[in-house]
């Protein structure tokens, strides 16, 4: 028989201990909530129960509401499967219970878990316990009374900060704020909680119903001002996310009309937000990230990752030093290999600067910096790489150079050493062409800056062994990266999918659209910056080199704009020399540079795209679509060719590698929300006017005409698969 999810045990002292058990984090699944309702009702009715303690098993209280319930709502459209926890369980069964209820909290109490604990009459908490309400990161608001109780327990200002930032606090801070009544060692948690509950019963400890407390609330006018400032901040920092403003509205409802009215409004708004596109997108990304760790014919073979303790990084430039930094932070010994002592010293200094920057920003404890850097050694000779478990080559994008490096390290390194390249576009078969170790050749494509960006694109060829892939996945996770396994082609999954991004923007500029307007529109859509500011930041050399790779690989669908070459001729190189599309001055934000206009006019004259020499008339939405729909089109080809295992892998890669807004769910998910038919008909229309760059792919056409979603499972036909 399956063990019960919720148990009730009554001790000789008359205290009923109600325990939740749903490993690993005691998520509040519907059966848990029903079990809690049942056990509280039983404890309330029983004459031998004087007081109640609510706790979680497995060293955790609760990680919150079971998110898969919201995923099920999105699949079925049925919001009635979400139980009314805030009123039925937290208010009536717990807070209004005639017997005192104490929460015995350990490990974590997040989201609905913390809300359950706040509904109790006291909280006895173990040290180093995480407490927080992270619901806004999933597109909803706290839905079990958290918007009402947290302000009453810690004060409005701190409550707003905790909810809007979604950052948890530790129990020690919770004690200072009044969220925690007492901190006790884990081994004494239940004993003290039982005593506390009995002392409340005997009126020796306060019986606090937090929904009715008002002593920590500001005056109405102060609350109004505080919430007004929070709304202004939310509009700036989260302009496309309705849950932030909704949360503040619900908090205000409770302050003005009382906690119970606030709880009723909270439950209503929570259900409305669950049905929003923002919630759908964020929940999709949440599960997409977790699904990346399942790779057919790799993670299902019963293999175990081998231990990797020492890695060599070849090349100490921007990427190499970033990769080395990420490895050092994961407690891995690193040998940085360079061609001469000058370059080696420069690479080591960049790694030191990366580490000290993390200390300065509070991301790394100061006393750990020296230990991290002590694990770094430099080398000028391949002989020093004999005992490494993995090599990551991070030199310039030059095929003969990479081939030479791999044929040399194959002779030196052990036969088990993984041979990885950080190339962003070059075919891996070319890189490993001159070695006999092709089962160990693998792509480890990091995104810049490598010690900060969370995506690791793991590129496999037809010959790469499952063991090498599994090992690199484990290394990526130890580096706090999200590894996504992809197939081998020009640009792999992410850069290949997004290569039309700049080209679409350049078509619009050459059609007469103001480039600064394009940047504004794309930033308003949710990307960190527009395509032209991004080009300034990356440098024009990168734009030309990458553009050339894709023009060679996909000549039938590339647009060659003369604009970047004209900028270089005029002495501009973006942020590198302070002059690009924008002016870059120290201490101030980039400003549009009006002197770039004659160069743009020259580009327009050379491309001759404008009908009758007049700029096209275009809406902001059309700007977004003419830039992003070609990316969707290329994503369809990537799916069709089996470059990724599943569409959600491309979604999470677009969010983590290209900063596509997470609340839009990733590039394929967003296209499905917009509608494949609209994407297809728009591209078809533009292709008749502007040519092959916009020509819809067969995959998109097929799905659009059949009314299928783009993310529906891909045919497993061998002819389509490169995986």
């Amino acid at each position: 028989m399956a063990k019960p999810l919720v148990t009730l045990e009554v001790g000789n002292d008359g205290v009923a201990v109600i325990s939740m058990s749903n490993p690993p984090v005691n998520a509040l699944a519907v059966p848990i909530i029903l079990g809690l309702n049942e056990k509280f009702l039983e404890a309330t009715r029983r004459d031998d129960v004087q007081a109640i303690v609510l706790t979680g098993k497995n060293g955790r209280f609760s990680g919150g509401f079971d998110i898969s319930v919201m995923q099920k709502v999105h699949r079925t459209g049925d919001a009635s499967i979400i139980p009314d926890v805030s009123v039925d369980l937290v208010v009536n069964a717990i807070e209004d219970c005639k017997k005192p209820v104490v929460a015995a909290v350990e490990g974590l109490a997040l989201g609905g878990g913390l809300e359950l604990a706040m509904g109790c009459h006291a909280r006895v908490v173990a040290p180093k316990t995480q407490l927080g309400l992270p619901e806004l990161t999933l597109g909803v608001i706290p839905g079990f009374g958290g918007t009402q109780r947290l302000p009453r327990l810690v004060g409005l200002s701190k409550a707003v900060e905790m909810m809007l930032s979604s950052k948890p606090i530790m129990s020690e801070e919770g004690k200072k704020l009044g969220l925690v009544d007492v901190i006790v060692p884990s081994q004494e948690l239940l004993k003290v909680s039982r005593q506390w509950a009995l002392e409340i019963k005997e009126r020796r400890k306060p019986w606090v119903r937090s929904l009715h407390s008002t002593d920590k609330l500001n005056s109405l006018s102060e609350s109004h001002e505080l919430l007004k400032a929070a709304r202004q901040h939310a509009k700036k920092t989260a302009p496309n996310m309705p849950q932030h403003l909704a949360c503040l509205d619900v908090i205000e409802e409770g302050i003005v009309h009382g906690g119970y009215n606030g709880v009723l409004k909270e439950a209503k708004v929570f259900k409305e937000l669950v049905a929003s596109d923002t919630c759908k997108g964020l929940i999709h990304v949440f599960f997409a990230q977790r699904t990346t760790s399942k790779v057919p014919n790799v993670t299902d073979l019963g293999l175990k990752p081998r231990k990797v303790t020492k890695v060599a990084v070849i090349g100490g430039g921007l990427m190499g030093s970033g990769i080395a930094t990420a490895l050092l932070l994961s407690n891995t010994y690193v040998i940085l290999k360079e061609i001469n002592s000058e370059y080696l010293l420069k690479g080591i200094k960049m790694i030191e600067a990366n580490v000290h920057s993390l200390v300065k920003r509070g991301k790394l404890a100061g006393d750990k910096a020296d230990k991290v850097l002590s694990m770094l050694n430099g080398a000028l000779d391949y002989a020093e790489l004999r005992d490494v478990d993995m090599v990551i080559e991070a030199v310039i994008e030059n095929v003969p150079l990479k081939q030479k490096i791999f044929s040399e390290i194959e002779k030196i390194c052990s036969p088990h050493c993984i041979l990885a390249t950080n190339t962003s576009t070059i075919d891996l078969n070319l890189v490993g062409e001159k070695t006999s170790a092709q089962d160990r050749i693998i792509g480890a494509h990091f995104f810049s800056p490598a010690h900060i960006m969370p995506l690791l694109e793991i590129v496999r060829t037809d010959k790469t062994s499952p063991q090498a892939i599994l090992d690199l996945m484990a290394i990526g996770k130890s580096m706090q990266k999200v590894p996504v396994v992809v197939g081998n082609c020009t640009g792999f999954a992410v850069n290949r999918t997004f290569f039309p991004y700049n080209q679409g923007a350049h078509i619009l500029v050459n059609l007469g659209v103001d480039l600064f307007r394009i940047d504004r529109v794309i930033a308003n859509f949710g990307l960190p910056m527009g395509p032209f500011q991004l080009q300034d930041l990356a440098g024009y050399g990168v734009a030309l080199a990458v553009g050339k790779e894709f023009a060679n690989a996909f000549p039938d669908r590339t647009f060659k704009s003369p604009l970047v070459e004209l900028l270089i001729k005029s002495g501009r190189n973006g942020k590198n020399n302070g002059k690009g599309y924008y002016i870059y001055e120290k201490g101030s934000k980039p400003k549009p540079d009006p002197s770039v206009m004659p160069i743009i006019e020259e580009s327009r004259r050379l491309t001759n795209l404008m009908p009758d020499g007049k700029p096209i008339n275009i809406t902001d939405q059309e700007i977004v679509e003419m830039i992003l729909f070609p990316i969707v089109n290329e994503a369809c080809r990537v799916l069709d060719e089996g470059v990724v295992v599943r569409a959600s892998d491309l979604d999470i890669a677009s969010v983590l590698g290209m900063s596509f807004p997470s609340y839009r769910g990733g590039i394929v998910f967003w296209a499905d929300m917009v509608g494949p038919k609209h994407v297809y008909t728009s591209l078809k229309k533009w292709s008749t006017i502007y040519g092959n760059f916009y020509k819809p792919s067969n995959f998109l056409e097929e799905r659009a005409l059949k009314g299928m979603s783009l993310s529906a499972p891909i045919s497993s036909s061998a002819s389509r698969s490169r995986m």
Side-chain angles (χ1 to χ4, degrees):
M1 279 181 65
K3 287 183 182 175
L5 297 172
V6 182
T7 57
L8 184 151
E9 292 174 22
V10 183
N12 295 332
D13 55 1
V15 177
V17 176
I18 296 174
S19 304
M20 301 174 278
S21 179
N22 185 17
V25 297
N26 295 333
L28 298 171
V30 173
I32 288 259
I33 291 164
L34 295 174
L36 286 171
N37 265 319
E38 182 192 315
K39 297 302 179 190
F40 267 100
L41 198 60
E42 183 187 334
T44 308
R45 287 174 175 166
R46 280 176 63 160
D47 294 336
D48 60 339
V49 173
Q50 302 299 307
I52 302 164
V53 168
L54 174 62
T55 193
K57 290 186 176 173
N58 324 305
R60 306 272 201 286
F61 185 73
S62 173
F65 186 54
D66 181 1
I67 298 164
S68 67
V69 176
M70 291 193 273
Q71 191 185 38
K72 193 175 176 187
V73 171
H74 297 157
R75 274 202 308 266
T76 62
D78 180 10
S80 69
I81 59 176
I82 298 174
D84 288 318
V85 179
S86 53
V87 177
D88 295 349
L89 175 60
V90 188
V91 176
N92 294 337
I94 300 178
E95 189 164 87
D96 291 347
C97 182
K98 300 292 183 278
K99 298 172 182 180
V101 184
V102 170
V105 182
E106 184 179 8
L108 49 81
L110 299 174
L114 179 59
E115 292 175 281
L116 274 186
M118 289 192 293
C120 297
H121 306 123
R123 283 150 296 285
V124 177
V125 185
K128 308 292 178 198
T129 294
Q130 287 187 67
L131 310 164
L133 297 177
E135 283 87 350
L136 271 69
T137 60
L138 295 171
V140 291
I141 61 171
F144 298 173
T147 60
Q148 305 308 307
R149 290 188 178 83
L150 193 61
R152 286 166 168 77
L153 287 167
V154 303
L156 181 60
S157 178
K158 184 65 184 178
V160 165
E161 179 201 315
M162 282 176 68
M163 283 185 261
L164 263 55
S165 73
S166 292
K167 287 180 182 166
I169 60 170
M170 300 308 278
S171 46
E172 290 71 16
E173 187 182 351
K175 173 75 174 72
K176 287 177 192 166
L177 293 166
L179 182 57
V180 170
D181 290 280
V182 65
I183 296 175
V184 299
S186 293
Q187 59 270 27
E188 292 180 31
L189 188 64
L190 277 178
K191 180 182 141 196
V192 174
S193 298
R194 299 173 90 112
Q195 287 171 346
W196 202 283
L198 290 170
E199 287 183 21
I200 293 175
K201 174 79 176 166
E202 293 157 10
R203 305 287 175 182
R204 287 191 287 133
K205 286 274 194 292
W207 190 319
V208 178
R209 289 185 170 90
S210 53
L211 198 60
H212 304 280
S213 302
T214 55
D215 56 311
K216 285 201 177 177
L217 292 180
N218 309 62
S219 68
L220 276 177
S221 61
E222 285 172 332
S223 297
H224 177 71
E225 285 306 309
L226 201 150
L227 290 168
K228 184 180 170 187
R231 282 190 182 96
Q232 287 168 344
H233 180 70
K235 282 174 187 171
K236 277 185 192 170
T237 56
N240 295 320
M241 291 193 264
Q243 69 270 31
H244 292 70
L245 294 176
C247 185
L248 295 168
D249 289 347
V250 171
I251 291 168
E252 188 163 48
E253 173 78 13
I255 287 167
V256 175
H257 299 292
Y260 190 71
N261 284 319
V263 162
L264 294 177
K265 178 160 183 176
E266 179 195 83
K268 178 174 173 285
V269 171
F270 177 84
K271 283 199 172 181
E272 287 167 1
L273 286 169
V274 167
S276 70
D277 287 352
T278 304
C279 179
K280 287 174 186 172
L282 289 167
I283 296 285
H284 174 71
V285 165
F286 177 88
F287 284 105
Q289 183 164 331
R290 279 142 189 83
T291 310
T292 58
S293 59
K294 293 171 185 166
V295 183
N297 302 318
V298 174
T299 56
D300 52 3
L301 299 179
L303 297 170
K304 289 203 161 44
R306 295 171 298 189
K307 201 162 175 59
V308 173
T309 55
K310 189 190 277 191
V311 176
V313 177
I314 300 175
L318 185 68
M319 285 307 297
S321 59
I323 294 166
T325 306
L327 285 161
L328 291 165
L329 292 167
S330 72
N331 209 29
T332 305
Y333 287 94
V334 174
I335 296 176
L336 185 69
K337 160 75 174 69
E338 260 297 359
I339 52 169
N340 61 44
S341 51
E342 183 194 339
Y343 283 0
L344 182 59
L345 187 63
K346 197 175 172 187
I348 289 170
K349 284 194 180 301
M350 284 171 82
I351 294 165
E352 288 171 348
N354 288 341
V355 171
H356 292 138
S357 166
L358 291 169
V359 172
K360 196 174 176 184
R361 285 165 37 222
K363 305 279 184 188
L364 180 69
D367 58 347
K368 288 187 180 169
D370 289 341
K371 182 184 180 293
V372 166
L373 292 169
S374 73
M375 299 177 77
L376 172 68
N377 283 299
L380 298 174
D381 195 308
Y382 285 121
E384 295 185 50
L385 276 52
R386 284 184 195 283
D387 63 341
V388 298
D389 304 304
M390 179 168 79
V391 174
I392 301 177
E393 165 273 308
V395 303
I396 57 170
E397 299 284 66
N398 177 302
V399 174
L401 175 60
K402 288 179 188 287
Q403 288 177 337
K404 183 171 180 284
I405 288 169
F406 277 90
S407 61
E408 286 182 22
I409 58 177
E410 184 192 12
K411 293 169 197 160
I412 298 283
C413 297
S414 83
H416 306 294
C417 178
I418 301 164
L419 307 176
T421 173
N422 177 57
T423 181
S424 57
T425 48
I426 298 171
D427 187 325
L428 259 65
N429 289 318
L430 277 175
V431 173
E433 196 174 58
K434 299 192 175 171
T435 75
S436 57
Q438 293 185 10
D439 61 325
R440 293 186 278 140
I441 299 279
I442 193 164
H445 179 214
F446 293 82
F447 289 73
S448 186
H451 60 295
I452 292 170
M453 290 293 279
L455 181 66
L456 171 59
E457 202 175 24
I458 296 177
V459 189
R460 59 172 167 185
T461 70
D462 294 338
K463 293 172 184 168
T464 309
S465 74
Q467 186 67 60
I469 298 164
L470 195 70
D471 292 346
L472 189 48
M473 287 175 74
I475 294 158
K477 285 174 186 171
S478 76
M479 295 163 80
Q480 310 294 305
K481 306 291 179 197
V482 176
V484 176
V485 178
V486 303
N488 180 35
C489 63
T490 300
F492 316 129
V494 181
N495 286 341
R496 156 100 184 259
T497 298
F498 278 80
F499 91 81
Y501 178 59
N502 278 323
Q503 296 190 16
H506 276 266
I507 285 176
L508 288 180
V509 163
N510 285 294
L511 284 167
V513 184
D514 174 36
L515 80 82
F516 302 115
R517 179 187 172 201
I518 292 169
D519 271 3
R520 266 195 318 275
V521 168
I522 294 297
N524 289 341
F525 174 81
L527 281 133
M529 62 184 74
F532 296 101
Q533 194 180 341
L534 183 65
Q535 216 166 62
D536 268 1
L537 203 64
Y540 300 151
V542 172
L544 287 179
V546 171
K548 191 176 172 186
E549 286 285 339
F550 287 114
N552 290 338
F554 312 116
D556 60 317
R557 56 179 186 275
T558 51
F559 171 72
K560 194 169 182 327
S561 167
L563 184 50
V564 174
E565 286 173 343
L566 291 170
L567 288 164
I568 291 169
K569 270 186 197 168
S570 75
R572 294 169 191 258
N573 195 23
K575 197 179 178 187
N576 287 337
N577 69 354
K579 287 191 302 179
Y581 302 107
Y582 294 80
I583 300 165
Y584 297 87
E585 290 166 347
K586 205 169 182 179
S588 63
K589 287 181 179 177
K591 291 191 284 283
D593 185 356
S595 72
V596 82
M597 289 315 297
I599 303 167
I600 292 168
E601 291 302 333
E602 174 64 6
S603 177
R604 286 170 179 165
R605 189 185 65 75
L606 290 170
T607 52
N608 195 28
L609 282 186
M610 283 193 277
D612 310 320
K614 291 177 185 171
I616 61 164
N617 192 13
I618 192 169
T619 65
D620 286 357
Q621 186 181 332
E622 285 168 331
I623 288 175
V624 168
E625 293 180 351
M626 285 186 81
I627 290 174
L628 297 187
F629 283 4
I631 299 171
V632 172
N633 202 22
E634 198 61 35
C636 287
R637 294 186 179 100
V638 164
L639 293 171
D640 196 24
E641 292 169 23
V643 176
V644 288
V645 174
R646 55 188 80 82
S648 64
D649 283 1
L650 199 48
D651 283 330
I652 198 67
S654 70
V655 168
L656 300 180
M658 288 295 180
S659 301
F660 193 84
S662 58
Y663 53 84
R664 297 195 189 274
I667 189 68
V668 185
F669 185 88
W670 172 73
D672 274 334
M673 297 290 276
V674 170
K677 192 159 189 192
H678 175 57
V679 177
Y680 167 70
T681 52
S682 302
L683 286 168
K684 195 172 181 191
K685 178 183 77 178
W686 299 327
S687 68
T688 59
I689 308 168
Y690 306 117
N692 263 7
F693 176 75
Y694 287 107
K695 186 182 176 184
S697 66
N698 293 336
F699 182 92
L700 173 61
E701 181 174 32
E702 183 186 316
R703 298 261 163 143
L705 297 181
K706 286 183 179 175
M708 292 172 68
S709 80
L710 301 178
S711 53
I714 305 154
S715 162
S716 58
S717 159
S719 63
R720 285 188 169 189
S721 179
R722 292 187 177 188
M723 295 299 285

